[in-house]
Amino acid sequence: MLDFKMTVPEQADERPEGVAADPDRTTDLVISGAGPAGLTAALYAARAGLSTVVLAGPSPGGQLSTTNHIENFPGFPQGIAGAELAQHFRRQAERFGAEIVQDSVTGSDFSNEHLTLRTGRRTFESRAVIIATGAAPRRLGVPGEDTFFGRGVSTCATCDGFFYRDKRVIVVGGGDSAIDEGLFLTKFARQIVVVHRRDELRAASIYQERAFANPKMTFVWDSMVEAIEGDETVDGVRVRNVKTGETSLIEADGVFIYVGTVPQTEPFVGQVELDERGYVVTDPRQRTDVPGVFAAGDVRNPRFRQVVVAAGEGAKAAMEADRFLQNLTRSPARDRAREESYERESVGTRSTDRL
């Protein structure tokens, strides 16, 4: 006698692409951030056989995705668009099994055996975490800045300076980054106009000496940018003198902004050690003060801000996470011994790379 049974298919999973099917689970490694550091860490971790989830955040690819053209990343002799390079990073990590989730970390708890990252909709638990959320350039918040960002407004002379050959360029800021990047731009631009809100620079004296000695560099003191103006391209910036209140238009073909960066560490406040500026503090092996929690890229390294540096740190962090997980044991006595050894190795060596 034949036994006929009707199989009712399960309801289709309606979750959006990239969302974990079972987010409330414990995995080997969760990476917060999907810039060069986070995606390189994902590649190394997944290739090492670790179950790896990447919480990509609001801007997968990080600052790389907003850069028009990258000419100094090895392996691309003709250069490559930033967004395209970011896609290469992502596809390579996914090839080895890393799971990319389009969600942003809003909170964390590293006080328990399982490390917890929370998003707006779900909770992820893991045995190790890599913080790679980056540091966003501080923006001016003036009209025209968003309109022309990536096509006349930039925060990276190393990335975009070549496109301003024989142009007139404005650099906003007076610190080390502003002057150093301004000096770099003199290789290409015919004139650099530094707009600074004070009557003297904050940059190190060696940078100041070089800047004042460079005939291509001029200075507009005691002034703040109030708007970036133009039609299809940047025509100039409108500035206001903070002492007299007078406004004027400075003509220019491009604007480079260096008024600081903002590390994206708010979800980790109180969970890992941060320096006075909010950057994650690590030892030379990318380890934070919490066993099993690592950090890589601009979130801990405000000095270099280069794709190749962030990628290298991501690889290091993943290798250290793999090593940590291999040595992980359930024995409380060994756990205590490991943590004590970790503290002895780390004490006095954790730092952020400073300007």
Side-chain angles (χ1 to χ4, degrees):
M1 181 176 179
L2 298 177
D3 183 12
F4 291 95
K5 293 183 179 179
M6 179 179 293
T7 301
V8 180
E10 295 182 2
Q11 185 174 356
D13 190 346
E14 296 180 352
R15 68 183 184 278
E17 182 181 358
V19 173
D22 183 17
D24 297 297
R25 70 185 191 272
T26 300
T27 190
D28 289 331
L29 175 66
V30 174
I31 300 168
S32 180
L39 291 175
T40 303
L43 163 63
Y44 272 71
R47 192 170 182 270
L50 303 182
S51 56
T52 303
V53 173
V54 180
L55 302 179
S59 304
Q63 295 182 55
L64 178 61
S65 295
T66 65
T67 304
N68 282 333
H69 201 64
I70 303 289
E71 292 190 325
N72 58 354
F73 192 82
F76 298 92
Q78 302 304 316
I80 185 172
E84 184 181 357
L85 182 58
Q87 283 300 312
H88 284 314
F89 276 121
R90 175 171 181 155
R91 285 195 292 268
Q92 195 169 7
E94 288 179 322
R95 174 191 169 200
F96 289 98
E99 182 179 6
I100 314 295
V101 178
Q102 303 300 332
D103 215 343
S104 300
V105 174
T106 58
S108 60
D109 184 356
F110 299 152
S111 62
N112 300 312
E113 177 183 2
H114 290 151
L115 307 171
T116 300
L117 293 180
R118 296 185 300 274
T119 72
R121 296 177 295 167
R122 50 183 66 84
T123 298
F124 294 83
E125 291 188 345
S126 61
R127 298 190 298 152
V129 165
I130 295 176
I131 301 171
T133 44
R138 184 174 283 112
R139 304 286 283 271
L140 296 173
V142 300
E145 183 178 32
D146 291 339
T147 302
F148 294 109
F149 197 85
R151 55 189 189 94
V153 175
S154 176
T155 56
C156 181
T158 305
C159 309
D160 299 327
F162 176 83
F163 302 105
Y164 293 89
R165 190 175 296 277
D166 298 324
K167 304 289 186 181
R168 192 173 195 236
V169 170
I170 289 173
V171 171
V172 183
D176 286 352
S177 294
I179 304 308
D180 188 31
E181 297 285 84
L183 287 166
F184 178 82
L185 286 168
T186 61
K187 297 179 180 181
F188 309 103
R190 74 172 187 274
Q191 185 180 18
I192 309 298
V193 181
V194 178
V195 176
H196 187 40
R197 61 180 178 174
R198 297 185 175 91
D199 59 3
E200 61 181 5
L201 299 176
R202 294 181 296 109
S205 58
I206 189 169
Y207 290 132
Q208 295 193 39
E209 291 170 4
R210 292 172 182 173
F212 293 141
N214 194 307
K216 286 189 174 183
M217 297 190 73
T218 60
F219 299 85
V220 176
W221 304 107
D222 299 316
S223 296
M224 298 181 65
V225 174
E226 292 205 321
I228 299 172
E229 301 188 356
D231 293 322
E232 295 298 320
T233 59
V234 170
D235 293 333
V237 300
R238 187 162 297 280
V239 301
R240 175 178 59 85
N241 187 290
V242 297
K243 292 182 177 178
T244 67
E246 295 180 357
T247 62
S248 60
L249 179 67
I250 305 174
E251 295 182 353
D253 304 293
V255 182
F256 287 80
I257 300 169
Y258 301 101
V259 291
T261 59
V262 182
Q264 305 299 287
T265 52
E266 186 175 347
F268 310 105
V269 172
Q271 299 300 314
V272 296
E273 182 183 357
L274 307 177
D275 71 6
E276 67 278 5
R277 295 173 294 174
Y279 291 91
V280 179
V281 177
T282 74
D283 68 8
R285 291 166 56 182
Q286 314 302 131
R287 302 181 300 182
T288 71
D289 60 331
V290 179
V293 179
F294 307 84
D298 290 0
V299 75
R300 64 154 299 276
N301 181 354
R303 182 174 185 178
F304 296 107
R305 298 196 310 169
Q306 293 295 300
V307 176
V308 69
V309 175
E313 291 194 355
K316 287 171 57 181
M319 295 169 72
E320 288 293 340
D322 183 35
R323 178 181 178 182
F324 171 82
L325 292 174
Q326 288 181 32
N327 293 332
L328 200 60
T329 173
R330 297 293 183 180
S331 166
R334 290 188 179 182
D335 281 347
R336 286 195 298 271
R338 185 184 65 251
E339 291 182 10
E340 291 172 1
S341 173
Y342 177 87
E343 287 300 322
R344 286 195 300 271
E345 288 185 42
S346 299
V347 66
T349 63
R350 288 191 296 271
S351 67
T352 52
D353 291 328
R354 300 174 182 273
L355 287 172

